[in-house]
Amino acid sequence: MDLKALHKISYGLYIITSKKGDQINGQIANTVFQISSEPATVAVSINKQNLTNEFIRESKVFGISILAQEAPLSLVGQFGFKSGRDVDKFKDIKYKTGTSGVPCILDHVLAYLEAEVINEVDVGTHHIFIGRITNAEVLIEGIPMTYAYYHQVKRGSVPRSTPAYVPKQAEGKEKMNNYVCDVCGYVYDPAQGDPENGIAPGTPFDKLPEDWVCPVCGVGKDEFSPEN
């Protein structure tokens, strides 16, 4: 069975936020879809182990910030590869508090939605939260980030807790000059470099500045291994 067939399903990339009392949290998710128009309802799929899941179940509200295609990998890493149990994900992040009390991200976001949970479905490792839209606003016009663009163009990766995660399967011989982040799976390809962080295409891994860090999760060069 070739589970890479699942990669052909179209996904977006979103920051899902919620609250618990005075606390706020958020995470990256790619499973968000509209269910109906009257009333307007959406569904999100959140891993049971994630703090955001706990917050949504407690408060019964969540927000959806729709990422723009040009959103930096660092923003995805901030909300996708760090835990709100350990760090303040909103440090240095521009956001506003929505009408439901959930944080709505403002930078690199096309629009945001707020929803009130009207149903919850247990689907094994995840809960699907179905919410009635209570507020929505378009911030800027642009192209939304898709999972395919994030994965293929930006060379990003997804945590094991996401529905779209598929373990790597053995493939043919890979280029040996690529390096893979041992923490998040980001692939540094010298042919493409890291233009977002000033690294020109054609820069070999061993020529990267010593203070260069993974653009997704922020670890140093010593946390990378040759791709094979």
Side-chain angles (χ1 to χ4, degrees):
M1 179 169 62
D2 187 359
L3 292 179
K4 287 195 297 183
L6 293 170
H7 290 163
K8 303 304 180 183
I9 298 175
S10 178
Y11 296 95
L13 215 58
Y14 314 90
I15 298 177
I16 308 302
T17 57
S18 191
K19 66 172 185 173
K20 182 179 180 182
D22 294 331
Q23 296 178 285
I24 57 174
N25 196 57
Q27 68 163 79
I28 292 293
N30 55 27
T31 309
V32 174
F33 54 97
Q34 183 178 350
I35 295 176
S36 64
S37 56
E38 294 183 5
T41 57
V42 292
V44 298
S45 180
I46 305 293
N47 191 284
K48 293 177 180 177
Q49 303 301 315
N50 291 358
L51 187 62
T52 304
N53 183 297
E54 176 186 324
F55 280 24
I56 295 175
R57 300 193 81 194
E58 172 78 18
S59 66
K60 304 300 182 185
V61 291
F62 61 87
I64 302 170
S65 296
I66 303 170
L67 289 177
Q69 184 171 274
E70 66 272 15
L73 286 174
S74 58
L75 180 61
V76 178
Q78 178 80 353
F79 285 93
F81 289 92
K82 298 178 182 179
S83 172
R85 297 182 176 92
D86 304 321
V87 301
D88 176 7
K89 293 189 179 184
F90 290 88
K91 182 180 180 181
D92 301 323
I93 298 295
K94 187 178 179 181
Y95 71 93
K96 73 175 184 179
T97 301
T99 57
S100 64
V102 302
C104 303
I105 313 299
L106 299 178
D107 285 338
H108 310 293
V109 165
L110 301 181
Y112 68 82
L113 312 169
E114 295 179 73
E116 177 183 23
V117 175
I118 58 175
N119 202 357
E120 175 186 317
V121 183
D122 189 321
V123 288
T125 58
H126 290 63
H127 284 124
I128 293 177
F129 297 103
I130 300 171
R132 178 179 59 84
I133 299 298
T134 58
N135 189 33
E137 182 179 350
V138 175
L139 301 176
I140 58 173
E141 296 298 331
I143 302 173
M145 176 88 77
T146 65
Y147 173 76
Y149 186 88
Y150 168 72
H151 185 70
Q152 296 169 10
V153 179
K154 286 183 171 284
R155 307 182 311 286
S157 53
V158 296
R160 291 177 179 269
S161 60
T162 63
Y165 175 80
V166 176
K168 276 193 173 182
Q169 300 178 0
E171 299 180 349
K173 186 177 180 181
E174 300 284 346
K175 293 189 303 181
M176 296 301 292
N177 59 338
N178 287 357
Y179 278 73
V180 182
C181 178
D182 297 330
V183 176
C184 74
Y186 168 81
V187 178
Y188 176 77
D189 180 355
Q192 299 188 46
D194 180 17
E196 284 187 1
N197 293 292
I199 306 300
T203 304
F205 185 81
D206 59 3
K207 298 298 183 182
L208 290 173
E210 288 306 311
D211 60 353
W212 181 85
V213 297
C214 175
V216 177
C217 68
V219 299
K221 291 172 58 179
D222 57 343
E223 298 287 347
F224 278 71
S225 299
E227 186 179 54
N228 50 41

